[in-house]
């Protein structure tokens, strides 16, 4: 049944690890009567919170993949996506933010603005998502919401405004003061479900008035009516709410609430704030690209009567097939409808359409613009745009952070190998930040992801879900060889012992070429090597580049000039000259003073400026050269060149150096000469591996 | 790099009494838009690097990529014109001895620069002898800022070169003949150079050489394409 889109809210709940996201969501589901019983996150009652449906999530007490659910609160339908806080699962948060209209940023009253809060906030800004903040855990020892408020200003550059004050803190936390109503609220009943309103305690009146004044100062900037009313002393709650809503939607103000989800204090006001301050789908500007008009930008309207445009933002493989989560931006999608995937123009027919509640499904007939639904049995990838075919639009691609850590993965037996392949296929389809490939040089299967925990969880899932018994290790670095000076060759390949023989002589020189590619120059004069044999000479030299004589690594940047030679009218052949070229190469190569090259990566680290020194030091310790540093307000981006061999494990080091507040990207830049110490280590490793018969 | 040194724009200072800017001192290049202040500063940078010094190039509002591309263009032009053969060695020398610090969205301050220099020294043992600051808007920067900057130069024993944008329509000069926008703050600079484009090339004219009286027309002429000294 079509409902009033103005009363629809698509929100995400994002924060740092252990800020209480899942606990908050559990309470929300309870108060909105989606669940009948509250289960705690770490499964003290043996069940686990509703939103942590994956087994591993329940076991580890962390949320791994995002789950979706919906609920009703005071006439509004709220779609909630609960997202993980670990930095290793950034893609899940990125996906959620891409399709949501608003968000709740949860902060811990003790820990305050922490690493992932900074990353998440950056993500919210990137996607222009209006948010409210909830300072949770006011019942914990060390809770200080006022400190957190300052941190929101200083560390996130936000303009936060407190809408509530805590009554007591830590063990004394009893309730909250609503600064709009100017009333004290106490949450009673076994799960805080009934709210008792009282007058503000006398000892808190002054403080409450002061903070209310700050609230009004901020809100009046957005409403002339309110400003006038405040001057007259006749401001109403509705006026204040409207002004705050305007400011929140403009992303210039962040309403801040306080509470303790675990103690059931302050959750219902958060739901009220979602209804009052966060946008409906009609208040969010959504753009797509019109592929028929050179990717011209078009604005989408959440009108069910317009052509369908929807975005697949999450895929999940279930025992019944692939489940595709869709955000419908325009039009409506119902059972039996035909849709087209813009990317590959593939037509699909909508079979089953469901609304998700964590891992439970609710069949529906039709989903409308503004809504989040899931389709069954549709073959697509994350980021695919669906239309009804009457338009050829594509939603802009989601920002996907590049993986920063890689491991080798090897199955212990044949059965595991099969299962491993299936697992890798599924995971890489579901998660674009999880990548897998076979290194053509070493034959190793490499998996890469956003962090050690990210890969750790996938390896665990390979074992549990696919019964693939695997071992992991650090991948080998792809070194190269290159010559550094000119060296002559003059080699005769001869086998003339009776019968058909082989004969060929090639002479010339090799020298370093300008780029990294191989160059062959035929400078033969007078036909001393017949022209039909020249390609064989070229091929002979080329074949030597795959495994250089120094340490067996591919050879780069070599120029070979053949300027003399000799042939035999009977015994010369293509094979003979090919062999002659191979011999010539080996003869000259070591005289050309070859060296080992290592891959040098361009590394870009973004961190709060206070960690500039730490980051510079960490790069310096890794034989890195810092090229530049850019300061942009509170953040610094440091660009450097660092050998790949030094970058393994850097993600973890960086996280600990900067309390998780830094991010880095890495891409190949060039090959550079490896220092002697590194070459010695490589030689030692090769000797050991030869002896070990690996 | 002897061949470069002979034609480097800093040869202008050979005609001065002090022959150099010197540690703890501020120098400025004044010119209208498009004359080549940045190119000239980059040449000064090469002069210092190839003399065996290390250098920090501070860019106000431009990203490091843009700054690096100035260096690359000028570097490769120089290699070609002067027919230098040891390109790779020189390139490495520049990379190892130059640090680009960029401050965007109004982030630049002497304190931030001080912190960055401190970090470079402590963590990388990188202690530049020269600082180049390009893109600072002299029209909105108060005198106190230059005083602090001078203090920083003394603290870190660096010589600091800046670029200042002048305007065709603002022709005021002070008694010493120092033009806008440096006419009110010339006492803070030990070396002031004016870049004057003509049909024959760009003239670098020395307007101030520490406290010394200058002879008439202490200047060099630069090739407008290469910014190398012609005469």
């Amino acid at each position: 049944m079509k409902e009033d889109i103005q009363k629809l809210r698509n929100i995400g709940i994002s924060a740092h690890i252990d800020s209480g996201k899942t606990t908050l969501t559990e309470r929300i589901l309870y108060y909105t009567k989606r669940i009948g019983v509250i289960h705690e996150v770490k499964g003290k009652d043996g069940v686990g919170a509703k939103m942590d449906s994956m087994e591993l999530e329940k076991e580890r007490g962390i949320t791994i993949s995002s789950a979706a659910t919906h609920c009703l609160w005071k006439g509004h339908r709220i779609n909630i996506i609960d997202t993980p806080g670990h930095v290793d699962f950034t893609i899940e948060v990125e996906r959620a933010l891409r399709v949501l209209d608003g968000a709740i940023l949860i902060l811990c009253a003790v820990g305050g603005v922490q690493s992932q809060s900074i990353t998440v906030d950056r993500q919210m800004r990137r996607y222009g998502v209006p948010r409210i903040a909830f300072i949770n855990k006011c019942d914990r020892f060390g809770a200080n919401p006022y400190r957190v408020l300052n941190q929101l200003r200083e560390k996130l550059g936000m303009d936060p405004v407190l809408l509530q004050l805590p009554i007591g803190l830590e063990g004394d936390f009893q309730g909250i003061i609503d600064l709009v109503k100017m009333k004290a609220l106490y949450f009673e009943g076994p799960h805080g479900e009934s709210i008792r309103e009282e007058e503000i305690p006398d000892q808190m009146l002054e403080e409450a008035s002061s903070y209310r004044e700050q609230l009004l100062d901020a809100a009046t900037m957005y409403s002339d009516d309110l400003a006038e009313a405040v001057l007259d002393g006749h401001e109403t709650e509705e006026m204040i709410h409207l002004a705050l809503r305007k400011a929140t939607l403009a992303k210039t103000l962040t309403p801040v609430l306080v509470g303790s989800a675990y103690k059931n204090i302050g959750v219902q006001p958060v739901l009220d704030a979602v209804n009052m301050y966060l946008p409906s789908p009609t208040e969010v500007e959504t753009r797509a690209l019109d592929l028929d008009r050179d990717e011209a930008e078009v604005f989408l309207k959440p009108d069910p009567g317009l052509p369908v445009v929807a975005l697949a933002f999450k895929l999940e493989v279930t025992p019944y097939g692939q489940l595709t989560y869709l955000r419908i931006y325009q039009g409506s999608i119902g059972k039996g409808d035909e849709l087209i995937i813009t990317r590959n123009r593939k037509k699909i027919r909508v079979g089953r359409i469901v609304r998700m509640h964590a891992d439970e499904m609710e069949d529906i007939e039709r989903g409308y613009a503004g809504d989040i639904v899931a389709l069954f049995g549709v073959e697509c990838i994350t980021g695919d745009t669906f239309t009804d075919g009457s338009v050829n639009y594509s939603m802009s691609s989601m920002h996907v952070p590049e993986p920063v850590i890689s491991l080798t993965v090897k199955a212990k037996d044949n059965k595991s190998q099969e299962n491993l392949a299936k697992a890798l296929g599924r995971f890489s389809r579901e998660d674009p930040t999880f990548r897998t490939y076979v290194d053509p040089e070493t034959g190793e299967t490499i998996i890469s992801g956003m962090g050690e925990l990210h890969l750790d969880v996938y390896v665990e899932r390979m074992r549990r879900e696919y019964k693939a018994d695997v071992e992991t290790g650090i991948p080998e670095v792809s070194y190269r060889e290159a010559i550094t000076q000119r060296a002559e060759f003059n080699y005769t390949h001869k086998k003339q012992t009776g019968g058909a023989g082989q004969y060929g002589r090639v002479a010339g020189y090799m020298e370093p070429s300008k780029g990294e590619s191989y160059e062959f120059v035929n400078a033969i004069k007078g036909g001393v090597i017949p022209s039909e044999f020249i390609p064989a000479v070229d091929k002979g030299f080329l074949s030597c580049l795959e495994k250089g004589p120094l340490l067996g690594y591919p050879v780069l940047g070599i120029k070979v000039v053949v300027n003399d030679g000799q042939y035999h009218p009977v015994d010369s052949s293509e094979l003979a000259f090919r062999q002659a070229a191979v011999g010539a190469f080996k003869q000259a190569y070591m005289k050309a003073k070859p060296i080992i090259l290592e891959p040098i990566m361009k590394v870009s680290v973004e961190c709060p400026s206070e960690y500039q020194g730490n980051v510079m030091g960490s790069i310096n310790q890794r034989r890195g050269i810092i090229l530049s540093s850019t300061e942009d307000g509170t953040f610094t981006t440091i660009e450097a060149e660092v050998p790949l061999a030094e970058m393994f494990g850097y993600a973890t080091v960086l996280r600990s150096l900067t309390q998780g507040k830094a991010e880095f990207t890495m891409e190949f830049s060039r090959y550079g000469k490896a220092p002697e110490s590194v070459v010695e280590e490589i030689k030692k490793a090769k000797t050991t591996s030869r002896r070990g018969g690996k | 790099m002897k061949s470069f040194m002979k034609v480097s724009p800093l040869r202008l200072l050979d005609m001065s009494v002090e022959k150099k800017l010197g540690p703890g001192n501020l120098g400025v290049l004044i010119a209208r838009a498009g004359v080549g202040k940045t190119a000239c500063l980059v040449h000064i940078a090469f002069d210092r690097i190839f003399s065996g010094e290390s250098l920090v190039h501070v860019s106000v509002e431009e990203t490091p990529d843009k700054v690096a591309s100035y260096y690359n263009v000028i570097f490769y032009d120089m290699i070609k014109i002067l027919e230098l053969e040891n390109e790779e060695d020189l390139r490495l020398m520049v990379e190892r001895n130059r640090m680009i610090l960029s401050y965007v969205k109004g982030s630049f301050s002497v304190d931030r620069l001080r912190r960055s220099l401190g970090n470079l020294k402590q963590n990388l043992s990188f202690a530049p002898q020269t600082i180049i600051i390009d893109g600072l808007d002299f029209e909105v920067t108060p005198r106190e800022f230059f005083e602090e900057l001078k203090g920083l130069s003394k603290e870190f024993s660096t010589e600091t070169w800046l670029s200042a944008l002048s305007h065709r329509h603002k022709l005021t000069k002070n008694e010493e003949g120092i033009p806008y926008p440096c006419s009110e703050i010339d006492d803070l600079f030990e070396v002031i150079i004016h870049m004057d484009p003509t049909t024959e090339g760009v003239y670098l004219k020395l307007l101030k050489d520490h406290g010394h009286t200058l002879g008439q027309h202490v200047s060099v002429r630069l090739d407008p394409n290469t910014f190398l000294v012609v005469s």
Side-chain angles (χ1 to χ4, degrees), chain A residues 286-318:
Chain A
T286 315
R287 296 161 202 227
L289 304 173
D290 187 344
L291 302 181
D292 288 343
R293 288 191 301 128
D294 241 357
E295 295 199 353
E297 248 183 15
V298 289
F299 290 97
L300 301 177
K301 286 188 200 144
D303 180 345
L306 290 176
V308 173
V309 182
L311 175 70
F313 67 94
K314 180 179 166 67
L315 305 183
E316 213 171 71
V317 175
T318 73

Side-chain angles (χ1 to χ4, degrees), chain A residues 85-91 116 431 433 449-455 655:
Chain A
H86 280 276
V87 65
D88 295 0
F89 299 104
T90 303
I91 184 60
Q116 189 67 353
D431 180 355
T433 62
M450 297 306 295
E452 285 169 25
L453 181 60
H454 188 209
L455 294 182
R655 198 173 305 146

Side-chain angles (χ1 to χ4, degrees), chain A residues 612-613 620 628-631 633, chain B residues 100 102 104 107 112 115 119 123:
Chain A
Q612 186 196 49
N620 191 38
S628 69
S629 164
T630 304
E631 278 196 53
Chain B
I100 299 174
S102 217
V104 298
S107 307
R112 284 210 162 112
R115 188 188 58 208
N119 283 334
N123 294 287

Side-chain angles (χ1 to χ4, degrees), chain A residues 458-510:
Chain A
Y458 277 120
V459 169
E460 197 59 30
R461 287 180 67 188
M462 283 173 209
R463 291 184 181 127
R464 288 192 194 207
E465 293 174 35
Y466 283 86
K467 309 282 182 269
D469 197 7
V470 298
E471 53 192 17
T472 58
I474 298 174
E476 224 186 84
V477 173
S478 307
Y479 292 103
R480 295 288 183 267
E481 298 183 14
I483 58 172
T484 55
Q485 63 186 49
R486 177 173 156 145
E488 314 262 323
F489 55 79
N490 187 348
Y491 187 86
T492 305
H493 173 70
K494 189 160 76 172
K495 271 190 185 160
Q496 291 169 313
T497 50
Q502 292 181 27
Y503 184 88
R505 181 171 77 85
V506 293
Y509 60 90
M510 60 172 58

Side-chain angles (χ1 to χ4, degrees), chain A residues 40-262:
Chain A
E40 300 306 339
V41 168
K42 285 230 165 101
K44 288 178 189 133
D45 54 359
V47 177
K50 185 70 194 164
M51 294 295 275
D52 282 346
S53 54
M54 211 198 297
E55 212 184 285
L56 259 177
E57 292 181 350
K58 288 189 170 128
E59 197 176 289
R60 290 190 186 215
I62 57 173
T63 305
I64 296 171
S65 63
S66 67
T69 195
H70 63 99
C71 56
L72 286 168
W73 181 253
K74 296 186 179 174
H76 289 71
R77 187 150 68 76
I78 305 173
N79 284 321
I80 306 173
I81 292 198
D82 185 27
T83 53
H86 280 276
V87 65
D88 295 0
F89 299 104
T90 303
I91 184 60
E92 295 287 352
V93 181
E94 299 256 15
R95 278 184 194 172
L97 290 173
R98 180 66 177 83
V99 300
L100 300 171
D101 304 321
I104 305 173
L105 175 65
I106 304 183
L107 301 128
C108 174
V110 182
V113 172
Q114 295 167 292
S115 55
Q116 189 67 353
S117 337
I118 296 178
T119 315
V120 159
D121 183 66
R122 212 179 302 144
Q123 289 164 338
M124 289 192 195
R125 282 174 206 263
R126 186 184 288 136
Y127 289 107
V129 177
R131 62 254 195 232
I132 62 176
F134 177 59
I135 302 176
N136 193 19
K137 303 195 181 188
C138 287
D139 61 304
R140 296 276 288 271
F141 175 72
N144 186 345
Y146 305 99
R147 183 186 59 216
V148 179
L149 193 76
N150 281 335
Q151 288 176 345
L152 285 173
R153 256 182 223 114
E154 287 157 10
K155 295 191 178 184
L156 299 186
M158 265 189 199
D159 194 2
V161 62
L162 263 181
L163 302 193
Q164 300 161 343
L165 296 184
I167 301 175
L169 279 171
E170 300 179 349
D172 286 334
F173 185 49
Q174 301 164 36
I176 58 178
I177 293 173
D178 183 322
L179 295 172
V180 177
K181 287 184 187 178
M182 282 305 268
K183 292 281 185 204
L185 305 178
Y186 299 93
F187 299 80
E188 292 171 345
H191 298 293
E193 54 269 23
S194 67
I195 304 172
R196 175 168 58 86
E197 244 180 57
E198 296 283 351
E199 292 306 312
I200 295 172
D202 289 338
Q203 68 273 24
M204 290 197 73
L205 261 174
E206 202 180 322
E207 194 190 354
S209 300
S210 167
Y211 275 97
R212 178 179 165 90
E213 213 175 294
Q214 288 178 41
L215 163 63
L216 291 176
D217 274 347
T220 50
M221 300 286 288
Y222 298 91
S223 168
D224 290 338
D225 288 345
L226 178 64
E228 266 184 51
V230 166
L231 283 173
D232 293 337
H234 293 135
E235 70 278 5
T236 64
E237 285 176 35
E238 199 187 328
M239 282 177 172
I240 300 172
H241 288 313
L242 275 173
L244 288 174
R245 180 181 178 80
K246 194 173 170 189
T248 307
L249 296 189
K251 294 165 289 233
T252 49
L253 209 72
T254 304
V256 180
L257 297 94
V258 302
S260 162
Y262 185 63

